[in-house]
Amino acid sequence: MSRLLAFALLAGLVVLPLGLTANPYLLNALITTGILTIGAMSLNLLLGFTGQLSLGHIAFFGIGAYVSALTSLGFDVEIGFGTRVVHEPWPPVVGFLLAILAAGACGWLIGRLSFRVRRAYFVIVTISFAEVVRLVALNWVELTQGPLALTGIPAISLGLPGLGTWTLRTKLQNYYLVLAVGTLCYLVVARLVASRFGRAMRGLKENESLALSVGINATRTLTIATVISAAMAGAAGSLYAHYLRIIDPDVFLFSTTVSMVIMVVAGGKGTLLGPVIGGLIFGLLPVGLRPVMAPEAQWIVYGIVLIVILYVMPRGIVPGLARLVPRARPARAPVLEASPVVPR
Protein backbone atom coordinates (compact mmCIF):
# COMPACT_ATOMS: atom_id res chain seq x y z
CA MET A 1 0.00 0.00 0.00
CA SER A 2 2.78 2.43 0.93
CA ARG A 3 4.63 1.64 -2.29
CA LEU A 4 1.51 2.36 -4.35
CA LEU A 5 1.00 5.63 -2.49
CA ALA A 6 4.62 6.61 -3.12
CA PHE A 7 4.25 5.98 -6.87
CA ALA A 8 1.01 7.96 -6.97
CA LEU A 9 2.59 10.85 -5.08
CA LEU A 10 5.60 10.86 -7.40
CA ALA A 11 3.37 10.87 -10.47
CA GLY A 12 1.38 13.77 -9.04
CA LEU A 13 4.55 15.75 -8.33
CA VAL A 14 5.82 15.12 -11.87
CA VAL A 15 2.74 16.62 -13.52
CA LEU A 16 1.98 19.27 -10.88
CA PRO A 17 4.26 22.09 -12.16
CA LEU A 18 3.00 21.78 -15.74
CA GLY A 19 -0.03 23.82 -14.74
CA LEU A 20 1.98 26.31 -12.67
CA THR A 21 4.39 27.63 -15.31
CA ALA A 22 2.41 30.89 -15.37
CA ASN A 23 2.62 31.19 -11.57
CA PRO A 24 6.31 31.49 -10.62
CA TYR A 25 5.41 32.27 -7.00
CA LEU A 26 3.85 28.85 -6.38
CA LEU A 27 6.58 27.12 -8.38
CA ASN A 28 9.20 28.83 -6.21
CA ALA A 29 7.33 27.67 -3.09
CA LEU A 30 7.36 24.08 -4.38
CA ILE A 31 11.11 24.21 -5.02
CA THR A 32 12.02 25.57 -1.58
CA THR A 33 9.59 23.14 0.04
CA GLY A 34 11.19 20.27 -1.88
CA ILE A 35 14.67 21.28 -0.72
CA LEU A 36 13.51 21.48 2.90
CA THR A 37 11.76 18.12 2.53
CA ILE A 38 15.06 16.52 1.51
CA GLY A 39 16.51 17.93 4.72
CA ALA A 40 13.57 16.46 6.65
CA MET A 41 14.14 13.03 5.06
CA SER A 42 17.78 13.17 6.14
CA LEU A 43 16.76 14.10 9.69
CA ASN A 44 14.19 11.27 9.75
CA LEU A 45 16.99 8.78 9.15
CA LEU A 46 18.35 9.75 12.58
CA LEU A 47 15.25 10.74 14.52
CA GLY A 48 12.86 8.19 13.04
CA PHE A 49 15.03 5.09 12.61
CA THR A 50 17.70 5.44 15.32
CA GLY A 51 15.90 7.64 17.83
CA GLN A 52 18.69 10.24 17.87
CA LEU A 53 17.48 13.87 17.81
CA SER A 54 19.79 16.27 15.96
CA LEU A 55 18.82 19.85 16.82
CA GLY A 56 21.83 21.15 14.91
CA HIS A 57 20.98 19.42 11.67
CA ILE A 58 20.92 22.73 9.84
CA ALA A 59 24.73 22.82 10.22
CA PHE A 60 25.11 20.07 7.59
CA PHE A 61 22.66 21.89 5.34
CA GLY A 62 24.62 25.14 5.64
CA ILE A 63 27.99 23.44 5.18
CA GLY A 64 26.73 21.91 1.95
CA ALA A 65 25.52 25.31 0.78
CA TYR A 66 28.78 27.13 1.53
CA VAL A 67 31.08 24.39 0.24
CA SER A 68 29.20 24.15 -3.04
CA ALA A 69 29.05 27.93 -3.45
CA LEU A 70 32.73 28.49 -2.68
CA THR A 71 33.76 25.65 -4.97
CA SER A 72 31.82 27.23 -7.82
CA LEU A 73 32.90 30.84 -7.11
CA GLY A 74 36.52 30.28 -6.17
CA PHE A 75 38.34 32.11 -3.37
CA ASP A 76 41.66 33.61 -2.32
CA VAL A 77 42.11 33.51 1.45
CA GLU A 78 44.97 33.67 3.94
CA ILE A 79 44.99 30.82 6.47
CA GLY A 80 47.88 32.08 8.62
CA PHE A 81 51.68 32.26 8.72
CA GLY A 82 51.66 34.14 5.44
CA THR A 83 50.10 31.20 3.59
CA ARG A 84 47.36 31.90 1.09
CA VAL A 85 45.01 29.38 -0.48
CA VAL A 86 43.86 30.24 -3.99
CA HIS A 87 41.08 28.23 -5.59
CA GLU A 88 39.90 28.75 -9.12
CA PRO A 89 36.18 28.23 -9.84
CA TRP A 90 35.11 24.67 -10.58
CA PRO A 91 31.87 23.49 -12.24
CA PRO A 92 28.82 23.58 -9.93
CA VAL A 93 28.33 19.82 -10.29
CA VAL A 94 31.73 19.30 -8.66
CA GLY A 95 30.64 21.66 -5.90
CA PHE A 96 27.49 19.59 -5.40
CA LEU A 97 29.56 16.41 -4.97
CA LEU A 98 32.05 18.12 -2.64
CA ALA A 99 29.15 19.46 -0.57
CA ILE A 100 27.93 15.89 -0.02
CA LEU A 101 31.43 14.72 0.94
CA ALA A 102 32.12 17.67 3.26
CA ALA A 103 28.80 17.38 5.08
CA GLY A 104 29.25 13.61 5.40
CA ALA A 105 32.75 14.11 6.84
CA CYS A 106 31.35 16.53 9.42
CA GLY A 107 28.67 13.97 10.24
CA TRP A 108 31.39 11.38 10.86
CA LEU A 109 33.22 13.78 13.18
CA ILE A 110 30.06 14.55 15.16
CA GLY A 111 29.20 10.86 15.39
CA ARG A 112 32.63 9.88 16.66
CA LEU A 113 32.56 12.64 19.26
CA SER A 114 29.07 12.12 20.62
CA PHE A 115 27.99 8.48 20.21
CA ARG A 116 30.42 7.12 22.76
CA VAL A 117 28.31 9.00 25.31
CA ARG A 118 24.84 9.17 23.79
CA ARG A 119 21.41 10.42 24.91
CA ALA A 120 21.43 14.17 25.57
CA TYR A 121 25.09 14.52 24.56
CA PHE A 122 24.28 14.10 20.87
CA VAL A 123 21.70 16.90 21.06
CA ILE A 124 24.15 19.18 22.85
CA VAL A 125 27.00 18.43 20.44
CA THR A 126 24.87 19.04 17.35
CA ILE A 127 23.49 22.35 18.65
CA SER A 128 26.98 23.51 19.64
CA PHE A 129 28.41 22.47 16.28
CA ALA A 130 25.71 24.37 14.40
CA GLU A 131 26.37 27.53 16.41
CA VAL A 132 30.15 27.28 15.89
CA VAL A 133 29.72 26.86 12.13
CA ARG A 134 27.31 29.82 12.03
CA LEU A 135 29.81 32.03 13.84
CA VAL A 136 32.58 30.97 11.46
CA ALA A 137 30.41 31.86 8.46
CA LEU A 138 29.51 35.18 10.07
CA ASN A 139 33.02 36.27 11.07
CA TRP A 140 35.34 34.80 8.43
CA VAL A 141 34.54 37.68 6.10
CA GLU A 142 37.51 37.11 3.80
CA LEU A 143 36.15 33.70 2.84
CA THR A 144 32.37 33.88 3.29
CA GLN A 145 31.72 37.63 3.00
CA GLY A 146 30.06 37.37 6.40
CA PRO A 147 26.71 39.20 6.63
CA LEU A 148 27.29 40.68 3.17
CA ALA A 149 26.51 37.22 1.72
CA LEU A 150 28.02 35.25 -1.14
CA THR A 151 26.43 36.44 -4.37
CA GLY A 152 26.60 35.45 -8.00
CA ILE A 153 26.58 31.71 -7.27
CA PRO A 154 26.27 29.99 -10.67
CA ALA A 155 23.35 27.74 -11.52
CA ILE A 156 23.99 24.02 -11.80
CA SER A 157 25.03 22.93 -15.29
CA LEU A 158 24.76 19.42 -16.65
CA GLY A 159 26.99 18.19 -19.45
CA LEU A 160 25.06 16.07 -21.94
CA PRO A 161 27.13 13.94 -24.38
CA GLY A 162 26.74 15.28 -27.89
CA LEU A 163 24.40 18.07 -26.75
CA GLY A 164 26.80 20.34 -24.89
CA THR A 165 26.13 21.92 -21.49
CA TRP A 166 22.64 22.41 -20.12
CA THR A 167 22.37 25.16 -17.48
CA LEU A 168 19.39 24.89 -15.14
CA ARG A 169 18.28 28.51 -14.91
CA THR A 170 14.48 28.37 -15.01
CA LYS A 171 12.26 27.49 -12.08
CA LEU A 172 10.76 24.54 -13.93
CA GLN A 173 14.21 23.06 -14.56
CA ASN A 174 15.20 23.53 -10.92
CA TYR A 175 11.93 21.96 -9.79
CA TYR A 176 12.64 18.74 -11.66
CA LEU A 177 16.25 18.75 -10.42
CA VAL A 178 15.04 18.97 -6.81
CA LEU A 179 12.43 16.27 -7.50
CA ALA A 180 15.09 13.98 -8.98
CA VAL A 181 17.46 14.45 -6.03
CA GLY A 182 14.60 14.01 -3.56
CA THR A 183 13.48 10.79 -5.26
CA LEU A 184 17.04 9.46 -5.17
CA CYS A 185 17.33 10.28 -1.45
CA TYR A 186 14.00 8.55 -0.80
CA LEU A 187 15.21 5.40 -2.59
CA VAL A 188 18.50 5.45 -0.68
CA VAL A 189 16.67 5.66 2.66
CA ALA A 190 14.18 2.95 1.62
CA ARG A 191 16.99 0.63 0.54
CA LEU A 192 18.98 1.34 3.69
CA VAL A 193 16.06 0.77 6.05
CA ALA A 194 15.18 -2.55 4.40
CA SER A 195 18.76 -3.82 4.71
CA ARG A 196 20.50 -5.56 7.58
CA PHE A 197 21.96 -2.21 8.57
CA GLY A 198 18.45 -0.78 8.80
CA ARG A 199 17.40 -3.58 11.13
CA ALA A 200 20.40 -2.74 13.31
CA MET A 201 19.32 0.91 13.45
CA ARG A 202 15.78 0.02 14.45
CA GLY A 203 17.09 -2.46 17.00
CA LEU A 204 19.13 0.24 18.70
CA LYS A 205 16.10 2.49 18.76
CA GLU A 206 13.71 -0.10 20.22
CA ASN A 207 15.99 -1.84 22.72
CA GLU A 208 19.63 -0.83 22.79
CA SER A 209 20.63 -3.31 25.50
CA LEU A 210 19.20 -6.22 23.52
CA ALA A 211 20.82 -4.96 20.31
CA LEU A 212 24.21 -4.79 22.01
CA SER A 213 23.77 -8.29 23.40
CA VAL A 214 23.37 -9.76 19.91
CA GLY A 215 26.57 -8.12 18.65
CA ILE A 216 25.44 -4.83 17.08
CA ASN A 217 28.16 -2.18 17.24
CA ALA A 218 26.16 0.82 18.41
CA THR A 219 28.81 3.50 17.88
CA ARG A 220 29.64 2.30 14.37
CA THR A 221 25.99 1.93 13.33
CA LEU A 222 24.92 5.33 14.62
CA THR A 223 27.99 7.05 13.16
CA ILE A 224 27.33 5.61 9.69
CA ALA A 225 23.68 6.68 9.94
CA THR A 226 24.84 10.21 10.87
CA VAL A 227 27.24 10.30 7.91
CA ILE A 228 24.50 9.34 5.44
CA SER A 229 22.01 11.74 7.03
CA ALA A 230 24.51 14.62 6.97
CA ALA A 231 25.46 13.90 3.35
CA MET A 232 21.81 14.11 2.29
CA ALA A 233 21.41 17.40 4.18
CA GLY A 234 24.54 18.69 2.43
CA ALA A 235 23.01 17.83 -0.95
CA ALA A 236 19.90 19.81 -0.01
CA GLY A 237 22.07 22.77 1.03
CA SER A 238 23.91 22.69 -2.30
CA LEU A 239 20.62 22.75 -4.21
CA TYR A 240 19.51 25.68 -2.06
CA ALA A 241 22.65 27.70 -2.79
CA HIS A 242 22.60 27.12 -6.55
CA TYR A 243 18.88 27.83 -6.79
CA LEU A 244 18.81 31.10 -4.82
CA ARG A 245 22.33 32.01 -6.05
CA ILE A 246 22.96 33.92 -2.81
CA ILE A 247 23.59 32.69 0.74
CA ASP A 248 24.45 34.31 4.05
CA PRO A 249 24.86 33.06 7.65
CA ASP A 250 21.06 33.08 8.08
CA VAL A 251 21.15 29.71 6.34
CA PHE A 252 22.15 28.32 9.77
CA LEU A 253 19.04 29.62 11.56
CA PHE A 254 17.76 27.27 14.29
CA SER A 255 14.18 27.80 13.09
CA THR A 256 14.96 25.79 9.96
CA THR A 257 15.91 22.79 12.06
CA VAL A 258 12.65 23.22 14.00
CA SER A 259 10.74 23.20 10.70
CA MET A 260 12.44 19.93 9.73
CA VAL A 261 11.56 18.37 13.08
CA ILE A 262 7.92 19.45 12.67
CA MET A 263 7.80 17.89 9.20
CA VAL A 264 9.20 14.61 10.48
CA VAL A 265 7.09 14.33 13.65
CA ALA A 266 3.81 15.51 12.08
CA GLY A 267 4.29 13.37 8.98
CA GLY A 268 5.24 10.30 10.97
CA LYS A 269 8.78 9.65 12.16
CA GLY A 270 10.17 6.26 11.31
CA THR A 271 8.15 6.05 8.09
CA LEU A 272 9.40 6.62 4.57
CA LEU A 273 6.58 8.88 3.42
CA GLY A 274 6.18 10.76 6.70
CA PRO A 275 8.74 13.53 6.02
CA VAL A 276 7.43 13.91 2.46
CA ILE A 277 3.80 14.35 3.52
CA GLY A 278 4.76 16.52 6.48
CA GLY A 279 7.10 18.57 4.29
CA LEU A 280 4.44 19.26 1.69
CA ILE A 281 1.83 20.23 4.28
CA PHE A 282 3.94 22.44 6.52
CA GLY A 283 6.07 23.78 3.70
CA LEU A 284 3.11 24.93 1.61
CA LEU A 285 0.73 25.86 4.45
CA PRO A 286 2.32 29.32 5.04
CA VAL A 287 2.16 29.96 1.29
CA GLY A 288 -1.55 29.22 1.24
CA LEU A 289 -2.24 31.36 4.32
CA ARG A 290 -0.17 34.36 3.27
CA PRO A 291 -2.73 35.93 0.88
CA VAL A 292 -5.65 35.67 3.32
CA MET A 293 -4.30 36.68 6.74
CA ALA A 294 -1.67 38.69 8.56
CA PRO A 295 1.71 37.14 9.45
CA GLU A 296 0.82 36.87 13.14
CA ALA A 297 -2.39 34.99 12.34
CA GLN A 298 -0.54 32.72 9.93
CA TRP A 299 1.71 31.34 12.67
CA ILE A 300 -1.25 30.94 15.01
CA VAL A 301 -3.05 28.82 12.41
CA TYR A 302 0.21 26.96 11.71
CA GLY A 303 0.47 26.03 15.38
CA ILE A 304 -3.20 25.06 15.61
CA VAL A 305 -2.92 22.76 12.60
CA LEU A 306 0.14 21.09 14.11
CA ILE A 307 -1.58 20.59 17.48
CA VAL A 308 -4.74 19.19 15.87
CA ILE A 309 -2.76 16.73 13.73
CA LEU A 310 -0.74 15.45 16.69
CA TYR A 311 -3.87 15.25 18.86
CA VAL A 312 -5.84 13.24 16.32
CA MET A 313 -2.86 11.25 15.06
CA PRO A 314 -0.25 11.11 17.87
CA ARG A 315 2.15 9.02 15.79
CA GLY A 316 1.87 11.28 12.74
CA ILE A 317 -0.17 11.51 9.55
CA VAL A 318 1.15 8.46 7.72
CA PRO A 319 0.80 5.98 10.64
CA GLY A 320 -2.61 7.52 11.46
CA LEU A 321 -3.90 7.04 7.93
CA ALA A 322 -2.44 3.53 7.79
CA ARG A 323 -4.61 2.56 10.75
CA LEU A 324 -7.71 3.67 8.85
CA VAL A 325 -6.96 1.50 5.83
CA PRO A 326 -8.31 -2.01 6.37
CA ARG A 327 -5.69 -4.62 5.73
CA ALA A 328 -6.54 -7.84 4.02
CA ARG A 329 -6.31 -10.68 6.46
CA PRO A 330 -4.43 -13.75 5.29
CA ALA A 331 -6.64 -16.66 4.43
CA ARG A 332 -6.78 -19.19 7.20
CA ALA A 333 -5.86 -22.74 6.38
CA PRO A 334 -8.73 -25.17 6.79
CA VAL A 335 -8.67 -27.05 10.05
CA LEU A 336 -8.60 -30.79 9.48
CA GLU A 337 -10.46 -32.57 12.19
CA ALA A 338 -9.35 -36.07 12.92
CA SER A 339 -12.10 -38.58 12.28
CA PRO A 340 -12.95 -40.70 15.28
CA VAL A 341 -11.48 -44.13 15.31
CA VAL A 342 -14.26 -46.67 15.50
CA PRO A 343 -13.17 -49.83 17.28
CA ARG A 344 -13.88 -52.99 15.43
Side-chain angles (χ1 to χ4, degrees), residues 117-308:
V117 282
R118 285 186 293 284
R119 303 185 187 279
Y121 292 98
F122 182 67
V123 179
I124 295 172
V125 169
T126 54
I127 293 177
S128 303
F129 178 69
E131 182 61 17
V132 168
V133 175
R134 187 190 70 83
L135 292 175
V136 170
L138 181 64
N139 294 289
W140 198 354
V141 178
E142 187 180 10
L143 178 65
T144 65
Q145 302 300 314
L148 299 178
L150 285 174
T151 59
I153 303 171
I156 290 182
S157 301
L158 302 177
L160 303 176
L163 298 176
T165 302
W166 185 29
T167 303
L168 307 179
R169 291 191 178 91
T170 68
K171 285 182 171 57
L172 187 62
Q173 292 169 341
N174 278 276
Y175 173 86
Y176 284 115
L177 174 64
V178 172
L179 181 60
V181 174
T183 303
L184 180 61
C185 290
Y186 178 90
L187 294 175
V188 168
V189 174
R191 178 65 177 173
L192 189 67
V193 170
S195 67
R196 182 178 179 182
F197 181 80
R199 293 192 292 272
M201 289 193 303
R202 293 195 300 273
L204 289 171
K205 176 188 174 183
E206 299 298 334
N207 192 326
E208 183 173 340
S209 300
L210 180 60
L212 294 175
S213 69
V214 296
I216 294 176
N217 188 325
T219 301
R220 176 177 175 272
T221 301
L222 294 175
T223 300
I224 293 175
T226 305
V227 169
I228 298 173
S229 175
M232 290 171 55
S238 177
L239 293 175
Y240 181 82
H242 289 288
Y243 171 63
L244 292 185
R245 307 184 70 177
I246 177 173
I247 54 169
D248 60 20
D250 283 349
V251 75
F252 295 101
L253 286 177
F254 179 71
S255 59
T256 309
T257 296
V258 174
S259 297
M260 292 181 186
V261 174
I262 289 174
M263 292 174 179
V264 172
V265 174
K269 63 179 182 178
T271 63
L272 294 175
L273 283 176
V276 181
I277 302 298
L280 290 175
I281 292 175
F282 288 97
L284 297 177
L285 181 61
V287 179
L289 296 176
R290 192 167 295 137
V292 296
M293 58 183 61
E296 297 81 5
Q298 293 174 28
W299 292 112
I300 293 174
V301 174
Y302 189 98
I304 292 174
V305 171
L306 176 61
I307 292 172
V308 169

